[in-house]
Amino acid sequence: MKHLEKAIMVTKSFLPPFEEYSKEIERIWETHWLTNMGPLHEELKNKLNEYLKTSNSTLCNNGHLALEIGLRALELPNGGEVITTPFTFASTTHAIVNSGLKPVFCDIEMKTYNLDVEKIEDLITEKTVAIMPVHVFGNPCDVKKIEEIAQKYNLKVFYDAAHAFGVEINEKGIGTFGDLSMFSLHATKVFNSIEGGVLTYNNPTLQKKLRLFKNFGITGPETVEAVGLNSKMNEFQAAMGIVNLRYIDEQIEKRKIITQRYRENLKRIEGITFIDDLENVKHNYSYFPIVIEEKIFGKTRDELFEELKEYNIFTRKYFYPLITDFDCYKEEYKNIELLNAKYISARVLTLPIYGELDLEIVEYICEVIKKIGA
Ligand SMILES: *Cc1c(COP(=O)(O)O)cnc(C)c1O
């Protein structure tokens, strides 16, 4: 089999036409307003409210700090327990810990790899203050059941929607569920503002608090009310967001076609499974994870990962290791049982996907996978 001349990476950051971006940032040279909630920031915010179908949003310089700002604004008691998933990016857990809260890990379910809502209630104690689920790979959590539990036990819900930009359930923006949601606009995500984060929420009183915490706690020229952070989105980021928003629907459509092509080809390979579209969900096709059942496929996930590299195909083990196996957490969580999360984490591999990925390359990747397994 012929090897690709150019390496195929798991993703390729979207960039708009250079002229379009340079035209957008010309305005900055007119105003000399580089950051601190300038006109481009305000324009992007309004456009995102519309696109994400949310009534309120707060823009931050990255997704991680948006999580930390959001947790502060929820004013959870110090040391409170937050039920969350171990099958996520480091950021989710770090945000909880950096906020003086304690992560309590709940296992995931096998259909979407999201928090298993049937297992949440068993973990609730008198110290539980919030649930922080992740819409992993952009597939929505069981938001209805989570809301029921949160109401029953009076808990806050903060969704890490880093992967879920543009996702909808029954035509409702996914950022309208729970108390808060965070979308990451990092370069590697479906929609980027170079780096960036958006918090969305229904309760307008959160706006003031979020704004306070993202700007050092400053409320006026001579008043600082809180020990805040600095997490303001600058005008260059906002300009990138404004321009990229013109392309997002097209990008998601291209990703959908790529996803369909992967599914058509891979469903014929035994020992490989993937998540299909979910009912009543508008997907964003942000990732294409597969799960390798080594006994049927013939190779382990790690073997497939390594052998694909020889063909110049670079995949990612998302999410491996589990958060509970990170050096910084493993001592504390070594006795915890997370069967499904461990199972998926040991077998999952995300394949290359980005708007400009050629369908011929997708075909080629599938052929190579088939050959490696045979
Ligand atoms: C990317 C990501 C974040 C952090 O977002 P940044 O914008 O990179 O800071 C948080 N949670 C998850 C699940 C992510 O994938």
Side-chain angles (χ1 to χ4, degrees):
M1 223 167 179
K2 172 167 131 306
H3 285 224
L4 295 170
E5 268 170 38
K6 255 179 90 183
I8 299 295
M9 308 312 286
V10 74
T11 192
K12 187 173 173 182
S13 297
F14 178 78
L15 277 172
F18 179 72
E19 297 69 30
E20 232 182 292
Y21 183 64
S22 53
K23 183 154 177 291
E24 210 60 44
I25 59 172
E26 264 180 15
R27 292 204 256 161
I28 303 172
W29 267 258
E30 286 158 21
T31 59
H32 282 248
W33 195 341
L34 310 190
T35 186
N36 284 44
M37 288 66 86
L40 291 159
H41 173 284
E42 293 304 300
E43 184 178 331
L44 178 62
K45 189 174 76 177
N46 293 334
K47 290 198 153 97
L48 286 177
N49 280 347
E50 196 179 322
Y51 191 80
L52 298 171
K53 299 186 174 176
T54 173
S55 39
N56 304 288
S57 65
T58 295
L59 308 188
C60 294
N61 61 343
N62 62 56
H64 180 76
L65 282 174
L67 288 177
E68 294 204 13
I69 301 285
L71 282 168
R72 286 184 190 219
L74 291 177
E75 298 176 321
L76 304 167
N78 205 36
E81 294 177 356
V82 179
I83 296 174
T84 188
T85 171
F87 189 69
T88 182
F89 182 56
S91 175
T92 320
T93 313
H94 287 353
I96 296 169
V97 174
N98 284 340
S99 306
L101 300 160
K102 184 177 165 24
V104 171
F105 294 101
C106 179
D107 203 4
I108 60 172
E109 46 89 6
M110 300 296 265
K111 194 174 153 220
T112 61
Y113 321 145
N114 285 326
L115 265 193
D116 185 344
V117 293
E118 301 302 328
K119 294 182 181 150
I120 294 176
E121 285 196 78
D122 286 347
L123 298 169
I124 294 175
T125 69
E126 68 278 7
K127 285 194 188 150
T128 308
V129 292
I131 308 173
M132 195 159 201
V134 180
H135 302 297
V136 85
F137 303 131
N139 290 308
C141 296
D142 186 342
V143 292
K144 217 173 133 209
K145 180 77 191 183
I146 290 170
E147 187 177 332
E148 270 170 38
I149 296 170
Q151 278 186 356
K152 184 167 163 194
Y153 296 93
N154 194 23
L155 306 173
K156 298 284 186 205
V157 179
F158 187 175
Y159 285 106
D160 181 337
H163 300 172
F165 189 89
V167 172
E168 295 176 11
I169 307 174
N170 287 319
E171 298 186 8
K172 276 188 77 176
I174 195 146
T176 61
F177 298 95
D179 295 281
L180 267 174
S181 293
M182 183 286 288
F183 298 90
S184 164
L185 311 188
H186 183 261
T188 56
K189 303 298 207 276
V190 144
F191 170 76
N192 83 78
S193 61
I194 311 171
E195 293 232 31
V198 194
L199 290 161
T200 62
Y201 41 98
N202 300 325
N203 179 355
T205 61
L206 277 173
Q207 185 120 36
K208 220 178 121 207
K209 286 181 200 158
L210 292 168
R211 209 180 155 106
L212 184 73
F213 288 121
K214 85 170 187 183
N215 189 23
F216 305 102
I218 295 173
T219 46
E222 298 180 5
T223 48
V224 180
E225 278 183 22
V227 187
L229 296 163
N230 177 11
S231 173
K232 303 180 302 288
M233 177 181 280
N234 69 51
E235 292 290 278
F236 291 84
Q237 292 176 291
M240 187 61 89
I242 289 169
V243 178
N244 284 352
L245 204 52
R246 297 174 196 149
Y247 295 91
I248 183 64
D249 285 333
E250 183 187 302
Q251 286 297 307
I252 291 176
E253 189 53 34
K254 285 183 174 171
R255 286 167 173 273
K256 180 178 181 173
I257 292 166
I258 292 164
T259 299
Q260 286 167 340
R261 187 63 67 94
Y262 268 133
R263 287 175 182 162
E264 279 162 30
N265 285 298
L266 296 178
K267 73 179 179 209
R268 293 190 213 109
I269 305 180
E270 291 199 49
I272 288 189
T273 55
F274 46 80
I275 305 172
D276 269 311
D277 280 1
L278 304 167
E279 225 176 297
N280 304 320
V281 172
K282 177 175 172 251
H283 289 276
N284 68 1
Y285 307 99
S286 49
Y287 297 86
F288 190 77
I290 59 172
V291 168
I292 295 107
E293 189 52 74
E294 64 277 7
K295 289 200 189 86
I296 307 171
F297 180 67
K299 292 276 170 73
T300 64
R301 183 271 312 272
D302 289 353
E303 284 166 343
L304 178 59
F305 172 81
E306 290 300 332
E307 289 186 37
L308 282 169
K309 283 203 274 190
E310 290 166 22
Y311 288 88
N312 238 348
I313 300 165
F314 294 85
T315 57
R316 284 296 299 263
K317 299 177 196 177
Y318 270 156
F319 288 98
Y320 174 86
L322 283 185
I323 301 278
T324 42
D325 291 328
F326 285 4
D327 287 342
C328 53
Y329 295 123
K330 66 183 179 198
E331 256 320 296
E332 194 168 355
Y333 294 102
K334 62 182 178 224
N335 295 323
I336 182 170
E337 213 175 78
L338 298 161
L339 290 180
N340 292 344
K342 288 212 164 94
Y343 186 93
I344 296 298
S345 177
R347 288 168 181 80
V348 71
L349 196 65
T350 58
L351 302 184
I353 188 165
Y354 47 88
E356 310 317 318
L357 182 63
D358 244 312
L359 288 175
E360 274 171 36
I361 305 276
V362 176
E363 293 280 343
Y364 176 77
I365 295 170
C366 296
E367 267 175 56
V368 171
I369 293 174
K370 196 170 162 193
K371 183 162 181 281
I372 293 172

